[in-house]
Amino acid sequence: MTDTSVLFRPFTLKGVELANRIVMAPMTRMKSPGLVPGEDVAAYYRRRAEGGTGLIITEGVNLADVSSAFYPDVPTLEGDAPVEGWKRVVKGVHEAGGKIFPQLWHVGAVRRQDRSPNPEVPSRSPSGLFKPGKQQGKPMSDAEVADTIASYVSAARNTVEAGFDGLEVHGAHGYLIDQFFWGGTNERDDRFGGSMVDRTRFAQEVVRAIRAEVGEAFPIVLRFSQWKQQDYEAQLATNPAELEAFLNPLAAAGVDCFHCSTRRYWEPEFEGSDLNLAGWAKKITGLPSISVGSVSLTTDYITTVTTGEGSATGSIDHLIERLEREEFDLIAIGRALLSNPEWGNIMREGRFDDLVPYDAKVQETLY
Ligand SMILES: Cc1cc2nc3c(=O)[nH]c(=O)nc-3n(C[C@H](O)[C@H](O)[C@H](O)COP(=O)(O)O)c2cc1C
């Protein structure tokens, strides 16, 4: 039988002591009417912490700039009632022995202004492009860039106020920050556009501004991905040298940990090495990294989204091997934790037959 003990080695992330290596991946829920996470949201996260998850990264949370939101009923971190709601969520997770970070999320040009909350407010993005050739808004002005960064800072301040243990900036999947990263959506000729390093500047400024607000000790995770919802085959970096050029300025800006979003964690990122994206991020920067993608499942996230079908349960043997050789430090679990709130406890007790397959209808969401 698979020995899962490596999953239960404690880990300290920038001073935050995690009971194990299991992270709940951020997953949008749209169950916070009035933008306030209620008792049911608190119960949902608490249940995952009780089920053996060491670190919870919440669903994407919107910002003071209301154009950060696309979907309705996504919670915010702005205003008294939402912050009070998050205090309840944090308390429940802490009582269950878990740690929790919110994911700060701005959708940029993924937003369809006419179909989103606050339709009178224009969308913000680097060049108004949803993807190459598809205009969905206008380029952000300097004032809008500054205001957007201020929105992240305000959310970071409220993150601390609500008692969270750290925060994650959503820089993945083709949303605002990734629209700056990706040449396909960033045609700016100011300091935020141009070379790969120039295209990281917006994220650098967001991270530096958050750091100035939260202080040195507070962990900042950056989630990034090669793939975009606009183009599953897109790549920010096609080889380790390009990945280094991309990651190092972000690490220098104050990122403490990279959360490397892939669809299948067992796939090597570049030819000539078995390392996955999180393995490369850790090797290049020396910082801790989080891997993710189809853990204990056979079918990847995008396939279940596009087909509406579920996924059978799968082996975690390769995960154990990679954790044992310390390729990355933490592993995020997405869909398997929707179906199995007790995923961690099941793994610790070796009750693999108790794992329930992923049913795509388990959580009704547009994401
Ligand atoms: C219902 C659902 C909602 C998601 N929402 C988010 C989100 O808000 N932010 C994010 O970065 N990723 C989001 N994702 C992607 C997951 O965090 C994760 O990367 C993906 O599901 C792959 O992990 P898995 O194969 O273990 O499910 C979502 C995934 C699902 C299934």
Side-chain angles (χ1 to χ4, degrees), residues 5-315:
S5 57
V6 67
L7 267 172
F8 298 92
R9 285 187 197 153
F11 186 73
T12 304
L13 178 60
K14 189 96 187 268
V16 174
E17 289 175 17
L18 306 177
N20 59 48
R21 306 305 179 99
I22 303 166
V23 177
M24 182 172 183
M27 285 178 285
T28 294
R29 310 194 61 224
M30 303 193 301
K31 294 196 189 303
S32 294
L35 316 185
V36 179
E39 297 285 357
D40 53 331
V41 176
Y44 164 87
Y45 287 117
R46 184 188 179 116
R47 201 170 159 209
R48 268 82 193 166
E50 288 170 347
T53 307
L55 173 62
I56 287 170
I57 300 179
T58 71
E59 62 204 288
V61 175
N62 294 141
L63 312 178
D65 166 24
V66 294
S67 86
S68 58
F70 180 18
Y71 304 118
D73 298 338
V74 168
T76 182
L77 251 166
E78 206 54 44
D80 292 343
V83 172
E84 288 307 309
W86 283 118
K87 281 184 184 167
R88 254 196 321 257
V89 174
V90 170
K91 186 165 176 274
V93 169
H94 285 170
E95 282 171 2
K99 299 288 194 283
I100 180 164
F101 295 9
Q103 187 190 48
L104 309 188
W105 183 31
H106 194 306
V107 302
V110 167
R111 178 170 179 263
R112 287 277 311 268
Q113 194 179 332
D114 54 332
R115 290 199 207 159
S116 70
N118 308 103
E120 69 290 354
V121 176
S123 301
R124 295 180 181 178
S125 63
S127 302
L129 289 168
F130 169 75
K131 62 181 183 183
K134 185 163 180 204
Q135 204 74 31
Q136 206 149 275
K138 59 173 184 51
M140 283 161 94
S141 66
D142 288 350
E144 286 170 328
V145 168
D147 183 71
T148 306
I149 293 174
S151 284
Y152 280 100
V153 171
S154 180
R157 187 181 312 120
N158 292 335
T159 295
V160 174
E161 156 78 18
F164 283 102
D165 303 287
L167 62 81
E168 175 169 288
V169 175
H170 193 343
H173 307 168
Y175 292 110
L176 179 67
I177 289 179
D178 203 17
Q179 288 156 29
F180 276 92
F181 288 154
W182 189 30
T185 43
N186 183 346
E187 296 184 339
R188 295 180 80 96
D189 54 14
D190 63 1
R191 65 203 171 92
F192 297 113
S195 70
M196 156 86 82
V197 174
D198 291 329
R199 286 183 270 118
T200 67
R201 189 158 289 123
F202 177 73
Q204 289 181 52
E205 294 201 2
V206 167
V207 170
R208 282 207 177 85
I210 291 175
R211 176 62 74 207
E213 176 63 39
V214 300
E216 257 326 297
F218 202 71
I220 301 176
V221 177
L222 178 72
R223 192 173 220 215
F224 77 100
S225 62
Q226 300 261 38
W227 68 269
K228 321 291 164 214
Q229 63 195 285
Q230 300 90 330
D231 178 356
Y232 302 140
E233 304 307 322
Q235 284 187 296
L236 296 175
T238 57
N239 57 53
E242 285 177 10
L243 188 63
E244 187 169 354
F246 172 73
L247 293 175
N248 281 346
L250 296 165
V255 171
D256 296 308
C257 171
F258 288 101
H259 186 174
C260 310
S261 173
T262 54
R263 294 163 58 182
R264 289 168 287 261
Y265 74 87
W266 57 85
E267 289 183 349
E269 191 56 37
F270 304 118
E271 265 177 40
S273 161
D274 194 34
L275 291 180
N276 74 10
L277 189 61
W280 278 109
K282 179 173 174 174
K283 183 182 160 89
I284 287 170
T285 64
L287 292 171
S289 69
I290 309 174
S291 186
V292 64
S294 304
V295 174
S296 83
L297 297 173
T298 54
T299 308
D300 79 281
Y301 168 50
I302 297 300
T303 305
T304 59
V305 170
T306 50
T307 63
E309 285 168 14
S311 170
T313 60
S315 152

Side-chain angles (χ1 to χ4, degrees), residues 322-351:
R322 284 175 188 259
L323 279 170
E324 269 168 0
R325 53 181 197 246
E326 299 185 5
E327 177 177 340
F328 42 79
D329 303 287
L330 299 166
I331 184 70
I333 317 295
R335 293 162 297 152
L337 253 175
L338 297 178
S339 315
N340 302 276
E342 271 208 294
W343 192 89
N345 292 347
I346 291 172
M347 292 298 140
R348 193 175 53 236
E349 293 156 18
R351 292 187 280 117

